[in-house]
Amino acid sequence: MQQKKFKKRIGCIGAGYVGGPTMAVIAAQCPEYLVTVVDINAKRIAAWQTDDLPIYEPGLINMVKKARGKNLFFSTDIDSAIRDADILFVSVNTPTKTFGEGAGKAADLQYWEETARNIIKASNSDKIIVEKSTLPVRTADAMDRILNANDKGIHFEVLSNPEFLAEGTAIEDLLHPERVLIGSRETKPGLKARQEIVDIYTNWVDRSKIITSNVWSAELSKLVANAFLAQRISSINSISALCEKTEADIAEVSYAIGADKRIGPKFLNSSVGFGGSCFKKDILNLVYICEHYGLGDVAQYWESVVRMNDYQIRRFVLNMVQAMFSTVARKRIVLLGFAFKADTGDTRESPAIYVAQKLLDEHAHLVISDPQALDNARLVLQASAQKVEFEKDPYAAAKGAHALAVLTEWEEYKKLDFRKIFDNMEKPAFIFDGRNILDHKRLFEIGFNVYPVGKPPMSHF
Ligand code: NAD
Ligand code: UGA
């Protein structure tokens, strides 16, 4: 590899849902930068080197193919990638801590800190370190102290460049971001490093969309953005429960309130509840930080967003059991969708996990169907493998079923031949639409008993 022809060398530690797509886009848009993505997970790195990528994301393979082997490389040689890089993005996982102080709320920073120690060990020149992972506000302070305590005389400038992509639309979000946020210290070296990161993004993002700030504002804005998005979903979901009691229709309410520009129409789709690896984790982290600073009321305010989400998922399964004459034991129930949202194979914190577990507790015979997430679903439900069937084809899954529950808003579910499905089901046939994506009136006319979210049920009894 001729490294001389490249303007700068970028390293990225962590080749997951963020590191992989983000670096693929940077490499494709910035041919003058050499980009190397490393990970401790050798299987993941091997998959990034093939056309069978480790994650499903529309448009990702084309983006990878544009740059891979030219200025985009995937490797397990973490030390070399660190040593050679001028700029190091860190996008390792920062899950909720499961042990010790702050368990269940605080961010587990062990992977991040291990990375910092690797950086000190492998480096022999100054570097810009960019927090791409979502981190508690003031992490850069701790990192700065750990990294700059090195005895090699090397200077590390720590910046925050949080990622706002959503899974399923990652490539679109990266290519056309609404904003890019870059936080740095407001010192001479901090501002110089900030400019270097701005220079990467201006290869394809208009400068007016690049927001620069102090490093703490950037760190905190990421947590707050996720908290606000999740809050909208919990707010509308809380109203869905009231709609079910009052014959108001949540879709009509969402439309009516969203038409006010101050509220806006997005993120007002009532559902079985939000999932994904970040909303719950980031809100709980925000809650923990508020508690840490003695802001109990603020902490409780944000925690209620997560509580409302738990309530919504619980309520959905309870409705299912109650509608089916208060027992689902030995009934064949098909979950249409297991991914936490459409266009991804990711099942982390998917509401489907709770729904499945609850139905298994009720001794249902469960069939899981999903176009992209069956491998992950198998892993998640491996402890109950004997009691669960996995069937990609929704028609085969629905044969002999008592009920269907739509848990992921896959486009293809809207186009299913529900007449054919109904004919092959046990009667009475039930359908629970946890995403409100189906034509409920038509399903009712076919003969289904239909239970949407936040709308009156349509029952033949
Ligand atoms: P992920 O689990 O998919 O990827 C993280 C990767 O880091 C894993 O492959 C893991 O093996 C690797 N890793 C861990 N420790 C390492 C080490 N010491 N050295 C090298 N590699 C190491 O996680 P993700 O979904 O990509 O999320 C990463 C971060 O980005 C998190 O902080 C998350 O909150 C944030 N984020 C995620 C999304 C998203 O949509 N998934 C969006 C925005 C921000
Ligand atoms: C979310 C944010 O949208 C991203 O900006 C952020 O970068 C990312 O978290 C992160 O930090 O990880 P993501 O979790 O991938 O992205 O997906 P979303 O589209 O936000 O959906 C999250 C959940 O909310 C899904 O389960 C989705 O089905 C649900 N949702 C979304 C609703 O129930 N109703 C809505 O109106 C919108």
Side-chain angles (χ1 to χ4, degrees):
M1 195 192 321
Q2 289 178 326
Q3 298 210 357
K4 273 196 201 122
K5 68 177 182 189
F6 295 106
K7 183 170 158 186
K8 289 271 164 179
R9 289 156 303 177
I10 293 176
C12 176
I13 305 181
Y17 285 86
V18 167
T22 311
M23 291 303 127
V25 168
I26 289 182
Q29 301 299 97
C30 311
E32 290 184 308
Y33 289 74
L34 174 66
V35 180
T36 307
V37 192
V38 291
D39 203 293
I40 39 172
N41 183 336
K43 214 171 135 203
R44 232 177 193 184
I45 289 297
W48 280 112
Q49 287 157 341
T50 69
D51 288 352
D52 191 12
L53 301 180
I55 60 174
Y56 172 71
E57 193 64 63
L60 177 60
I61 185 68
N62 292 339
M63 201 50 63
V64 169
K65 279 182 169 173
K66 265 192 192 172
R68 196 171 54 193
K70 295 180 195 132
N71 66 330
L72 175 65
F73 296 87
F74 294 93
S75 163
T76 49
D77 186 352
I78 297 174
D79 285 355
S80 298
I82 292 172
R83 196 188 54 234
D84 294 345
D86 305 301
I87 301 167
L88 263 177
F89 286 83
V90 185
S91 65
V92 299
N93 36 329
T94 51
T96 304
K97 223 175 152 192
T98 54
F99 54 89
E101 179 62 27
K105 279 186 189 156
D108 183 348
L109 297 179
Q110 61 172 306
Y111 306 102
W112 175 255
E113 183 161 343
E114 189 186 332
T115 305
R117 299 202 184 278
N118 283 344
I119 293 173
I120 297 175
K121 186 164 54 79
S123 295
N124 50 24
S125 60
D126 292 357
K127 292 181 201 305
I128 297 172
I129 310 297
V130 186
E131 299 175 344
K132 203 36 143 171
S133 302
T134 303
L135 292 159
V137 55
R138 296 209 71 86
T139 302
D141 193 24
M143 282 307 131
D144 186 65
R145 272 185 271 145
I146 295 175
L147 289 169
N148 287 315
N150 73 81
D151 52 13
K152 298 182 185 175
I154 301 172
H155 177 69
F156 297 99
E157 191 62 39
V158 183
L159 272 69
S160 166
N161 169 220
E163 184 47 60
F164 294 106
L165 69 80
E167 288 178 33
T169 52
I171 298 303
E172 194 50 31
D173 295 343
L174 288 163
L175 286 177
H176 308 288
E178 287 183 354
R179 82 312 210 173
V180 168
L181 179 56
I182 303 168
S184 71
R185 290 190 307 154
E186 289 172 321
T187 57
K188 206 169 166 205
L191 293 173
K192 185 167 171 282
R194 179 194 284 187
Q195 189 56 44
E196 291 215 30
I197 307 306
V198 170
D199 288 345
I200 296 175
Y201 285 101
T202 47
N203 277 280
W204 79 98
V205 180
D206 197 88
R207 181 64 185 83
S208 64
K209 294 201 165 158
I210 301 177
I211 302 170
T212 54
S213 72
N214 81 37
V215 69
W216 324 123
S217 305
E219 288 177 332
L220 184 57
S221 298
K222 173 62 199 177
L223 291 179
V224 174
N226 275 356
F228 267 61
L229 289 170
Q231 181 197 45
R232 284 174 70 88
I233 304 169
S234 276
S235 296
I236 203 71
N237 281 343
S238 74
I239 301 303
S240 75
L242 186 57
C243 284
E244 286 166 30
K245 299 281 183 207
T246 57
E247 291 187 31
D249 179 322
I250 195 67
E252 293 178 352
V253 174
S254 289
Y255 186 78
I257 64 164
D260 182 332
K261 278 203 188 97
R262 293 169 302 175
I263 297 174
K266 292 187 181 162
F267 263 66
L268 286 180
N269 286 330
S270 186
S271 68
V272 54
F274 62 73
S277 60
C278 294
F279 277 178
K280 185 174 176 184
K281 142 179 110 63
D282 292 347
I283 296 172
L284 291 176
N285 187 203
L286 187 63
V287 167
Y288 181 75
I289 293 167
C290 293
E291 285 170 352
H292 169 83
Y293 287 108
L295 304 172
D297 291 328
V298 186
Q300 276 179 31
Y301 175 74
W302 287 107
E303 196 166 13
S304 72
V305 173
V306 173
R307 275 204 305 275
M308 183 52 61
N309 197 51
D310 293 342
Y311 163 78
Q312 186 75 349
I313 305 176
R314 238 180 14 248
R315 206 168 70 77
F316 183 82
V317 198
L318 258 175
N319 275 345
M320 284 181 77
V321 176
Q322 273 168 10
M324 297 176 76
F325 318 111
S326 296
T327 175
V328 291
R330 295 201 305 279
K331 289 181 181 164
R332 183 176 172 92
I333 299 181
V334 180
L335 303 191
L336 288 177
F338 204 81
F340 81 97
K341 64 184 281 195
D343 291 324
T344 178
D346 194 352
T347 59
R348 290 178 290 179
E349 296 291 341
S350 177
I353 299 173
Y354 177 83
V355 172
Q357 272 157 357
K358 195 74 194 153
L359 291 173
L360 285 170
D361 289 348
E362 293 287 340
H363 293 190
H365 177 97
L366 215 54
V367 188
I368 312 284
S369 194
D370 191 290
Q372 291 294 341
L374 281 194
D375 288 344
N376 280 331
R378 272 192 202 93
L379 283 175
V380 172
L381 295 175
Q382 61 189 345
S384 317
Q386 265 114 16
K387 294 180 237 154
V388 185
E389 265 180 62
F390 298 91
E391 173 56 67
K392 196 168 180 177
D393 175 11
Y395 295 100
K399 224 172 230 166
H402 295 79
L404 312 176
V406 178
L407 296 186
T408 312
E409 69 281 22
W410 287 103
E411 218 22 62
E412 56 209 84
Y413 292 159
K414 296 181 193 167
K415 297 175 195 141
L416 289 173
D417 180 347
F418 280 102
R419 158 67 59 196
K420 184 170 150 194
I421 287 178
F422 178 79
D423 289 344
N424 286 318
M425 283 176 69
E426 289 289 319
K427 308 295 173 323
F430 292 83
I431 190 155
F432 301 90
D433 186 356
R435 296 290 180 170
N436 283 349
I437 55 166
L438 304 180
D439 181 344
H440 301 140
K441 192 163 161 276
R442 159 128 180 87
L443 291 172
F444 180 67
E445 282 162 6
I446 290 173
F448 281 103
N449 297 294
V450 189
Y451 294 81
V453 174
K455 296 165 185 255
M458 301 164 101
S459 149
H460 293 282
F461 307 117

